[in-house]
Amino acid sequence: MTTTCPHALDESLTRWGDYDRDDPFPLFAQVRSAGPVHEVTLADGHRAFLVVGYAAAREALNHPDLSKDMHAALARDGAVVAEGLPGPDFARHMLSVDQPDHTRLRGLAARAFTRTRLRALEPRIEELVTELLDDLAASDGVVDLVAGFAGPLPFAVIGELLGIERDDQRRLAAWFATLLAPYDGDEPPAASVAASDAIVGFLTDLVDLRWAEPTEDLVGDLVTACREGDLTRQELLSTLFQLVVAGHDTTTSLIGNGVVALLTHPDQHAALVADLDLVPQAVEEFLRWDAPVPHSTFRYAARDLTIAGTAIPEGVQVLVSLAAAGRDPERTPGAEAFDLQRGGATHLAFGHGIHHCLGARLARLEARIAFTELLRRYPAMRLAVPPEELSWGHGDGLVLRGLSSLPVLLTGPGPQETRP
């Protein structure tokens, strides 16, 4: 395969997606060393351009000629995307549209993520963290930190924003876990279809209830906007679906991936336990070093364009590797090292430009509270299995990267004695 990159990529690396999901970073470094942008073939056979350098990624994420309009892409000859469950009625949200619809939809949802609302939510997040850690404390021996903490916490928080009762949150979480589980083949299994149908029914009923009896939560806000003609019912349902997915899945991975980074770097673990005031900057290093979203969501070239000197023709998909950009040594000296002393956010884990993650502030808040209390209560926490036995099988491994489970022992030798 030919490439228009300044440095040609070895053809054995041009089929993107066929790599070790448990440790993709050596490959990312190899590809990045050959240049910031490369032509590749995705696992589904589509041609694409892969962006791996930090500066090039930043340029691509805010490029005016890169479209996120999936419907326009599908309408083109030789469509470059395929819509999955739960289908088109739930696919018109801020991540799948361009201006001006993007700004309109984002503005309506953004009301739930203001500093004032998040400040009011902070005590409830603290309560949820305490409840979950209390439940873990009741366990004897090995606990699964994903199932018992990293997963339930962000789902409960997004449930609070949406005004969903705890019992309903648990049912909804189980359905989403089934829906988002990876599977082999082109057709989703029956369990995924059933979970999708259950989610559709639940969110539809929720909107109908709020329509009949308005509430002062995010669903109530969006229903009011729909009633006033500021968004369609399809956009309302799509926005709710997207907020649930984005509001829990990535934060689950942030917590899980961050814990593994700590427990496999004993000196960093010990330093953080000794000074919990470092947690906010530690969260930024977790995001940089092992991004929960290793590749950006869908984009394609709406017209011929150039990124970092590479010509990209109209109609071709562009995939931005946020994980590869996070370890770009041209942006971050010594980028392959995990170092909690780095200052500031030297990453693009939340994206950049108009599509910068709406929930970034909430994710940082959840992670700060979660890690502070987790390390305060369990400073000697350690892995219960060798690191090589962990599996980053959560999500599809391309857009999402997270652990299926994280077995840990909550007590034991102090972090300075922990062995990876």
Side-chain angles (χ1 to χ4, degrees), residues 285-419:
E285 182 68 350
F286 299 150
L287 289 161
R288 181 198 71 82
W289 198 72
D290 195 351
V293 181
H295 295 84
S296 64
T297 51
F298 176 81
R299 285 170 171 78
Y300 81 101
R303 54 188 58 82
D304 292 347
L305 57 92
T306 301
I307 295 175
T310 298
I312 299 175
E314 178 182 351
V316 178
Q317 188 170 346
V318 175
L319 188 66
V320 183
S321 178
L322 308 176
R327 295 198 187 187
D328 187 345
E330 292 190 9
R331 167 63 177 177
T332 307
E336 292 297 336
F338 176 68
D339 184 0
L340 301 184
Q341 296 296 331
R342 298 186 198 277
T346 60
H347 60 78
L348 296 170
F350 290 122
H352 174 65
I354 65 170
H355 289 284
H356 182 269
C357 177
L358 179 62
R361 190 180 293 135
L362 176 59
R364 287 183 165 113
L365 175 62
E366 290 180 64
R368 173 177 63 78
I369 295 171
F371 276 100
T372 299
E373 189 62 12
L374 179 65
L375 295 173
R376 186 189 69 78
R377 290 180 61 161
Y378 303 114
M381 178 178 57
R382 66 194 193 277
L383 290 176
V385 298
E388 58 270 17
E389 291 185 12
L390 297 173
S391 175
W392 271 261
H394 176 67
D396 61 9
L398 194 61
V399 173
L400 299 174
R401 171 178 162 82
L403 289 155
S404 303
S405 63
L406 177 51
V408 300
L409 290 161
L410 297 176
T411 58
Q416 70 278 5
E417 302 173 54
T418 305
R419 294 293 180 268

Side-chain angles (χ1 to χ4, degrees), residues 51-128:
V51 182
V52 291
Y54 179 91
R58 186 179 170 91
E59 178 185 355
L61 291 170
N62 201 34
H63 200 294
D65 293 329
L66 281 181
S67 171
K68 294 182 65 63
D69 190 337
M70 286 191 174
H71 296 282
L74 286 166
R76 301 179 65 94
D77 292 337
V80 294
V81 295
E83 291 189 88
L85 297 171
D89 287 345
F90 283 72
R92 187 169 176 78
H93 48 72
M94 70 187 78
L95 291 183
S96 64
V97 297
D98 296 327
Q99 301 286 56
D101 289 331
H102 169 265
T103 297
R104 172 176 57 85
L105 294 177
R106 183 183 177 97
L108 293 170
R111 299 171 186 175
F113 298 93
T114 63
R115 284 187 172 86
T116 299
R117 282 206 173 181
L118 294 186
R119 196 177 299 118
L121 184 62
E122 186 169 349
R124 181 55 181 150
I125 298 176
E126 293 171 346
E127 290 176 359
L128 290 167

